[in-house]
Amino acid sequence: GGYSAPGALTPNTWNRVAFVANCSAGTLSYYVNGTNVKTRSVSGVDDGTFALYSNLDLGADLRLFNEP
């Protein structure tokens, strides 16, 4: 699948990199500095333990650099 076309990141520069998993649509999108650089279809994406809103924990969650 890869992440993006060559040159999406500027060398020696701070870049904001993010990815978005759309479980309903089955897509995974990658963004660099707010610009979509790649979207691809995926299977097996769910709302489990590592989701932003997990069905395993009460309430809304966002875990950064953490294990459940």
Side-chain angles (χ1 to χ4, degrees):
Y3 297 106
S4 67
L9 295 174
T10 306
N12 301 315
T13 303
W14 281 99
N15 291 279
R16 292 181 180 101
V17 179
F19 72 93
V20 177
N22 184 331
C23 299
S24 300
T27 60
L28 185 59
S29 300
Y30 299 89
Y31 294 84
V32 175
N33 299 320
T35 301
N36 183 308
V37 295
K38 175 121 177 146
T39 298
R40 62 186 181 120
S41 297
V42 293
S43 62
V45 176
D46 62 19
D47 61 352
T49 301
F50 297 104
L52 179 61
Y53 299 106
S54 174
N55 62 356
L56 302 177
D57 300 307
L58 296 177
D61 297 304
L62 175 60
R63 294 183 177 145
L64 299 175
F65 313 108
N66 194 5
E67 292 290 327

